[in-house]
Amino acid sequence: MGQTLTAGDICKRKVSVAYQHTSVVAAAQLMREDHVGAIVVVEDANGSRQVRGLITDRDIVMSVVALGLDPEPLCLEDVMSERLVTAQEDDALPHLMQSMREHGVRRVPVIGAHDELMGIVTLDDVLKILAQEMNLLVGSIDTSLKHERARRT
C-alpha cells in the first residue's frame, strides 16, 4: 500500500437503506432483492440521510425468528442494532480494521463530515483489499526467484 487507503476509498457507495418505521418483513424482502445481508437504517434530515442504525439478517433471525415472534407488527427500530459503529470517510484502513475488530462488527456505515451516509464497508471489502496486497507480495517473490534463476544460467 503505497498510499494510505481510507474508508471512503473502499466503501460501496450504493447502499441498501430503510427507515426506522419500515417493517421487518419489508426489510427482509429488500435484503433478498438487493442480495445483501444488512440494511442501513436512515432518517432524512437537512437534505441528507443520517445514519440511525443497522439491521442485519442475523438481527432478524436472532431477535424475531429464533424467539418465535410474529414479524408482521415489528418495525426496524424494534430489532435494529443499538450499538452503531460508523467510520468517517477519511478514516485510514488500519483504523477501520481496528474498529471492526474492537466492536466485533462485519459491516460499517461510512459517514461524511456532517454525519450523512456516504457508503458502507464490509469485512469482505477489507479482505479483498488485503488479498490484493498479499498477491502483490507473492508476485514479488515469484519475480525475485525468476531473476535469481536467470542470473545462474
Side-chain angles (χ1 to χ4, degrees):
M1 281 190 231
Q3 65 191 31
T4 301
L5 291 175
T6 65
D9 293 331
I10 67 171
C11 72
K12 289 185 177 100
R13 299 292 175 157
K14 184 178 180 209
V15 181
S16 297
V17 299
Y19 298 92
Q20 291 171 307
H21 297 294
T22 301
S23 75
V24 168
V25 173
Q29 290 168 342
L30 179 60
M31 286 181 193
R32 179 181 167 95
E33 289 169 16
D34 289 354
H35 304 286
V36 296
I39 294 175
V40 178
V41 181
V42 297
E43 177 180 298
D44 290 328
N46 302 324
S48 67
R49 290 183 165 167
Q50 304 290 304
V51 177
R52 295 294 176 245
L54 186 77
I55 183 81
T56 67
D57 47 8
R58 180 175 173 82
D59 291 331
I60 294 171
V61 169
M62 300 303 283
S63 299
V64 179
V65 178
L67 298 178
L69 299 178
D70 179 7
E72 287 297 327
L74 299 175
C75 57
L76 295 186
E77 67 184 348
D78 297 326
V79 296
M80 67 185 191
S81 297
E82 302 231 348
R83 54 183 189 108
L84 182 62
V85 177
T86 60
Q88 296 287 325
E89 273 190 298
D90 60 356
D91 284 351
L93 181 57
H95 180 267
L96 173 65
M97 293 184 326
Q98 179 66 30
S99 181
M100 292 173 90
R101 180 179 181 202
E102 281 178 15
H103 298 284
V105 296
R106 301 170 59 98
R107 299 166 181 100
V108 177
V110 177
I111 57 176
H114 303 289
D115 294 334
E116 71 276 15
L117 177 64
M118 302 305 292
I120 190 165
V121 174
T122 67
L123 184 59
D124 291 354
D125 299 327
V126 173
L127 289 172
K128 284 178 190 173
I129 296 293
L130 295 176
Q132 289 170 353
E133 297 297 321
M134 292 299 290
N135 198 19
L136 287 173
L137 289 174
V138 169
S140 176
I141 292 168
D142 289 345
T143 301
S144 173
L145 291 172
K146 287 178 187 174
H147 285 240
E148 184 177 331
R149 286 187 189 114
R151 282 193 302 259
R152 292 183 180 198
T153 55

